Amino acid sequence: MKFEGTKNYVATEDLRVAVNASITLQRPLLIKGEPGTGKTVLAEEVAKALDAELITWNIKSTTKAHQGLYEYDAVTRLRDSQLGDERVKDIRNYISKGKLWESFERDKRPVLLIDEIDKADIEFPNDLLQELDRMEFYVYETNETIKARVRPIVIITSNNEKELPDAFLRRCFFHYIKFPDEDTMRAIIDVHFPGLKGKLVQEALNIFYEIREVPGLKKKPSTSELIDWLKLLLSEDISPETLREKDPSKLIPPLHGALLKNEQDVHLFERLAFLARRERN
Amino acid sequence: MFVHFFHELKKANVPVSLREYLMLLEAMDSDIIERRVEDFYYLSRAALVKDERNLDKFDQVFGHVFKGLDLINEGQTAEIPEEWLRKLTEKFLNEEEKAQIEALGGWEKIMETLQKRLEEQKKRHEGGNKWIGTGGTSPFGAYGYNPEGVRIGQKEGRHGKAVKVWDKREYKNLDDSVELGTRNIKVALRRLRKFAREGAPTELDLDDTIKSTAHHGYLDIKMVPERRNKINLLVFFDIGGSMDSHIKLCEELFSAARTEFKNMEYFYFHNCLYEGLWKDNRRRHNEKMQTWDVLHKFPADYKVIFVGDATMSPYEITYAGGSVEHWNEEPGGLWLERVAQIYESCVWLNPVAEKHWEYTPSLQIIKQIIGDRMYPLTLEGLDKAMRELSR
Ligand SMILES: Nc1ncnc2c1ncn2[C@@H]1O[C@H](COP(=O)(O)OP(=O)(O)O)[C@@H](O)[C@H]1O
Ligand SMILES: [Mg+2]
């Protein structure tokens, strides 16, 4: 079964090829791209399209590879043993399964999302090589090997905060989500606001891409911000005419809070607006 | 055919391995794609390229191998800055035309006209795909010019009508790696790496200690080596002007070193540090950021490396308004002092041979500001600089 995008998600041709290659050859798919370009949502949509369960492993800077396999709570066990608890006899009581293990247990092929892998230590991906390759691992405490019943579809996202090790990269298919051009963005907007009027979208897009070009922005607004902003514009009933107004004193677009999430960026904008006003006077 | 493609990729320094090549063959065998060349392009790209910085190289090789297009060497094309184009326009268009264009209204039109001009020029040079800039007026004069490689304005679609996806060179801006050249610089990098990894004492592994203690029933202290990549680096490159012959060397050093550090940030400046810095030299005129913001953003435990020849008129350091490029409110020297004050670990690497240093007043001034921590860009100098940074 092929992934063709969904009614909620616009997948460009190249993205579809990468997803299908990864599914067919059962290799992990690594997705990179600016924050807000739909990396996380992609995994959700792939799961939906294939009618598969989504198992998400959110990575933080403190996440260790073994936590995806299992964790053994020796401290509780020590305490239990001192209290003479019966549970202590079975070591299994102290083992909690990680997301990888969970995904290995499913009878129907799930989608395993390892989200924001670059947040972890740079050794993290290497520590998972064997497990992702062979889809099995060994539990020392119980002397058993856990093997995937069906190989999960593995989607890994990265915001590019750190480089990833070569050995890891060589095993993956890779797709870089290029920031959507205007046509793609229109398609995405249409997914979120079916049948939205042309003029408003045009004006909003103009402003949006203009803002992205402003030099020195800490955080360029991304697809997700654009969608939030449009939502606000609609709920406040802002007209395309208001958006189009070229009065420099209105340089700051209405409801800009949705686009500029960073205080410094808002300042930058206010400064620009101020300069524009001064120039005019 | 594929083997050839594979070798060409290697030659262009796209790091492809046999493993990936086999993965691609396997993928071709299964029915993932239709028999369209675009699909093959997408599939091979997903299988062979693992870093967006290599996408542009991949596109070039693909176009070359599968269409017999001429491979454009890096350095033979240049993204042409708008400012230069503006200047060029003045040269290319006579008064009458200029008036016409004013009447036509706006820069957009000028751009289009200009591009047509350039294309005509290309045709006239029978088969020549190189076009040399106007003598001496432009810093890009020495670079060849290829209209396909130039993007004018921001919207790609307008000029990209009939162009194949891979010919659009959409990922050009992501390529920040420059091919390592000289032997020398490789050794230098090895030393840089050593610097990045050194000084790793051990620290207590609390988790493992608890675990092991619980296992054994007695206190069993476990140690682990400290994480290797602890060093945060901030690098400022002097770009343009008298530095041009050294840029390549510097960027090689920089592109190869970046994976070794916990964080490594680089910025460009021109001649001396002023209130603005930039990250992408092709857009230096459009995308400047505040030096203050940079200094605020990166904590004082970052180690700072300047790379530059420190060769300029002394006015450019000591006077407000001394910069050759723009009006600077505060003297560049003040900005250097600020950096030296904030960042305890700070060195300057200078590609100019040390024996010439004493004859260059500006170099002496900067050396003094930086607390005498200027080192020549030689192996020895690099060693010394790194030792200084690890103190
Ligand atoms: N191609 C797309 N099609 C539909 N919606 C998209 C697309 N790309 C981004 N979005 C929207 O943008 C938002 C952010 O996406 P997300 O997956 O969280 O980004 P990332 O994980 O890359 O930071 C989502 O809510 C999604 O609705
Ligand atoms: Mg995400």
Side-chain angles (χ1 to χ4, degrees):
Chain A
M1 190 160 137
K2 278 194 179 171
F3 175 69
E4 304 280 2
T6 65
K7 67 178 192 338
N8 299 316
Y9 191 83
V10 177
T12 49
E13 236 175 23
D14 49 348
L15 176 58
R16 292 201 295 260
V17 169
V19 170
N20 288 320
S22 144
I23 295 175
T24 311
L25 297 199
Q26 308 190 336
R27 303 284 207 298
L29 174 62
L30 173 64
I31 301 282
K32 280 210 240 170
E34 260 183 57
T37 46
K39 299 184 292 295
T40 306
V41 174
L42 170 70
E44 292 167 11
E45 294 300 322
V46 169
K48 261 190 239 158
L50 304 182
D51 190 26
E53 180 189 356
L54 176 71
I55 297 174
T56 304
W57 185 16
N58 287 306
I59 307 302
K60 294 183 291 210
S61 65
T62 52
T63 307
K64 296 280 175 293
H66 74 86
Q67 292 170 333
L69 311 179
Y70 66 93
E71 284 184 283
Y72 168 50
D73 188 355
V75 177
T76 307
R77 189 164 184 232
L78 178 64
R79 196 195 57 207
D80 284 356
S81 89
Q82 281 171 339
L83 297 175
D85 194 314
E86 271 304 299
R87 279 162 44 91
V88 88
K89 301 228 168 78
D90 189 356
I91 199 162
R92 275 169 230 274
N93 289 326
Y94 302 93
I95 287 179
S96 57
K97 294 171 185 171
K99 297 288 182 188
L100 232 67
W101 190 336
E102 258 183 54
S103 74
F104 286 4
E105 280 186 330
R106 298 294 185 265
D107 290 318
K108 184 167 180 308
R109 183 175 58 170
V111 173
L112 173 65
L113 165 64
I114 304 180
D115 208 13
E116 308 198 351
I117 195 169
D118 54 325
K119 289 265 186 312
D121 196 279
I122 54 166
E123 289 302 331
F124 178 92
N126 275 341
D127 293 344
L128 283 176
L129 283 186
Q130 292 278 333
E131 287 76 7
L132 288 178
D133 254 3
R134 298 211 200 125
M135 293 287 176
E136 64 175 51
F137 61 90
Y138 186 70
V139 184
Y140 293 92
E141 282 77 1
T142 58
N143 284 323
E144 56 183 338
T145 298
I146 307 296
K147 200 166 172 17
R149 293 195 192 149
V150 273
R151 292 176 71 98
I153 295 167
V154 181
I155 297 182
I156 300 168
T157 75
S158 163
N159 282 320
N160 221 2
E161 283 182 20
K162 288 193 196 82
E163 307 271 336
L164 300 170
D166 288 341
F168 170 79
L169 293 174
R170 280 199 283 272
R171 289 166 163 81
C172 301
F173 282 99
F174 171 71
H175 180 78
Y176 177 80
I177 301 189
K178 190 167 67 72
F179 195 82
D181 58 21
E182 224 178 286
D183 288 341
T184 311
M185 200 55 108
R186 274 173 203 283
I188 295 176
I189 291 175
D190 197 55
V191 153
H192 290 268
F193 309 96
L196 185 59
K197 276 199 309 289
K199 247 199 251 97
L200 183 75
V201 172
Q202 186 55 55
E203 296 301 336
L205 277 177
N206 288 351
I207 293 179
F208 173 75
Y209 281 108
E210 239 168 60
I211 290 184
R212 278 183 54 86
E213 292 293 328
V214 169
L217 277 190
K218 290 253 162 338
K219 163 84 179 70
K220 292 186 178 181
S222 180
T223 312
S224 49
E225 279 86 24
L226 175 65
I227 287 165
D228 290 347
W229 185 50
L230 278 171
K231 222 174 278 168
L232 278 180
L233 292 179
L234 287 175
S235 70
E236 299 279 317
D237 230 357
I238 306 273
S239 69
E241 288 71 32
T242 320
L243 280 183
R244 190 172 335 120
E245 223 164 336
K246 278 283 182 275
D247 180 356
S249 67
K250 304 235 171 81
L251 193 75
I252 305 185
L255 306 164
H256 62 276
L259 288 173
L260 303 169
K261 299 251 167 88
N262 184 310
E263 204 179 325
Q264 278 158 309
D265 287 349
V266 177
H267 278 321
L268 177 71
F269 251 78
E270 283 166 356
R271 217 156 58 209
L272 288 174
F274 173 73
L275 289 176
R277 265 199 300 276
R278 201 171 57 175
E279 230 163 67
R280 197 182 40 149
N281 292 337
Chain B
M1 181 70 151
F2 288 167
V3 179
H4 175 60
F5 180 40
F6 186 70
H7 281 300
E8 288 296 310
L9 283 173
K10 281 207 136 157
K11 242 185 3 205
N13 287 297
V14 179
V16 280
S17 68
L18 191 62
R19 192 189 183 101
E20 284 145 327
Y21 179 63
L22 295 175
M23 190 157 99
L24 175 61
L25 292 186
E26 199 186 329
M28 295 295 294
D29 254 0
S30 57
D31 63 343
I32 297 165
I33 53 164
E34 320 269 317
R35 289 179 185 276
R36 288 194 315 151
V37 61
E38 281 85 3
D39 280 345
F40 172 66
Y41 163 72
Y42 294 140
L43 183 64
S44 54
R45 196 181 74 188
L48 300 176
V49 185
K50 303 302 162 65
D51 186 331
E52 65 277 15
R53 282 172 291 176
N54 292 325
L55 287 172
D56 185 50
K57 287 191 205 113
F58 179 86
D59 284 357
Q60 289 180 70
V61 173
F62 192 94
H64 172 63
V65 171
F66 293 102
K67 259 177 61 187
L69 276 186
D70 270 344
L71 193 61
I72 308 151
N73 278 331
E74 213 46 62
Q76 278 200 341
T77 57
E79 284 274 291
I80 298 190
E82 214 177 80
E83 184 205 46
W84 182 57
L85 281 175
R86 277 179 205 276
K87 277 202 194 119
L88 250 188
T89 332
E90 313 257 295
K91 283 202 163 280
F92 268 74
L93 308 175
N94 58 35
E95 286 308 316
E96 192 188 334
E97 281 171 318
K98 265 192 255 174
Q100 268 176 1
I101 269 151
E102 288 290 86
L104 277 172
W107 187 236
E108 293 235 329
K109 275 278 184 283
I110 298 182
M111 285 295 188
E112 272 166 32
T113 313
L114 177 63
Q115 201 186 21
K116 247 185 255 152
R117 296 261 150 172
L118 293 174
E119 266 157 20
E120 280 160 20
Q121 172 123 10
K122 182 184 154 205
K123 268 182 234 143
R124 242 178 287 138
H125 279 265
E126 269 300 321
N129 52 2
K130 278 187 211 165
W131 183 87
I132 308 298
T134 49
T137 47
S138 126
F140 297 89
Y143 291 87
Y145 166 73
N146 176 309
E148 249 89 27
V150 179
R151 234 180 272 154
I152 296 173
Q154 281 132 18
K155 289 182 193 126
E156 291 146 20
R158 202 181 315 141
H159 303 289
K161 284 161 281 169
V163 183
K164 290 281 180 203
V165 240
W166 51 90
D167 286 336
K168 286 192 200 159
R169 310 277 311 272
E170 291 180 320
Y171 302 97
K172 201 168 169 195
N173 214 20
L174 299 171
D175 183 0
D176 69 346
S177 68
V178 181
E179 166 53 10
L180 282 183
T182 54
R183 282 187 89 87
N184 202 16
I185 209 79
K186 281 195 181 162
V187 183
L189 272 160
R190 228 169 282 146
R191 306 215 180 163
L192 254 190
R193 293 206 175 106
K194 202 165 136 244
F195 159 66
R197 286 176 183 177
E198 256 174 6
T202 54
E203 56 185 30
L204 178 66
D205 184 341
L206 199 55
D207 280 351
D208 203 24
T209 301
I210 291 172
K211 197 170 161 184
S212 182
T213 301
H215 259 302
H216 293 113
Y218 56 82
L219 187 63
D220 185 22
I221 290 182
K222 296 283 181 191
M223 307 291 280
V224 284
E226 197 180 26
R227 269 208 240 164
R228 269 192 281 124
N229 51 338
K230 277 227 146 168
I231 293 174
N232 292 318
L233 209 56
L234 202 51
V235 191
F236 298 102
F237 290 105
D238 178 359
I239 198 161
S242 52
M243 221 8 239
D244 271 359
S245 64
H246 307 303
I247 288 177
K248 199 159 173 282
L249 192 72
C250 299
E251 292 205 319
E252 284 166 0
L253 189 67
F254 135 79
S255 70
R258 64 178 306 150
T259 55
E260 297 297 326
F261 300 95
K262 184 170 174 214
N263 290 298
M264 164 158 164
E265 289 287 341
Y266 68 93
F267 295 94
Y268 293 120
F269 64 96
H270 179 54
N271 276 5
C272 190
L273 192 69
Y274 298 107
E275 67 284 345
L277 293 162
W278 58 97
K279 286 211 78 135
D280 180 340
N281 196 45
R282 281 162 300 193
R283 312 187 68 166
R284 58 187 295 191
H285 303 290
N286 305 325
E287 296 208 341
K288 267 207 182 131
M289 50 196 119
Q290 304 288 320
T291 306
W292 266 132
D293 288 346
V294 173
L295 302 188
H296 285 149
K297 177 166 176 197
F298 300 102
D301 66 346
Y302 267 71
K303 296 176 187 298
V304 172
I305 300 177
F306 286 97
V307 187
D309 61 2
T311 301
M312 65 202 90
S313 139
Y315 298 116
E316 293 178 53
I317 309 171
T318 50
Y319 281 85
S323 163
V324 286
E325 283 206 324
H326 70 297
W327 175 263
N328 55 309
E329 297 278 342
E330 293 174 308
L334 184 60
W335 284 105
L336 290 174
E337 275 166 29
R338 283 179 183 143
V339 172
Q341 232 162 46
I342 295 174
Y343 302 96
E344 207 176 316
S345 267
C346 178
V347 295
W348 188 294
L349 292 173
N350 198 327
V352 175
E354 204 169 354
K355 62 177 186 231
H356 302 306
W357 287 10
E358 61 178 301
Y359 308 111
T360 315
S362 63
L363 192 152
Q364 292 300 329
I365 299 173
I366 287 183
K367 187 156 169 272
Q368 197 200 337
I369 293 178
I370 208 99
D372 245 10
R373 289 169 295 182
M374 185 179 283
Y375 304 91
L377 195 56
T378 61
L379 286 181
E380 198 196 358
L382 197 66
D383 264 353
K384 281 189 189 150
M386 295 307 126
R387 224 170 293 142
E388 171 61 39
L389 284 182
S390 0
R391 283 200 317 158

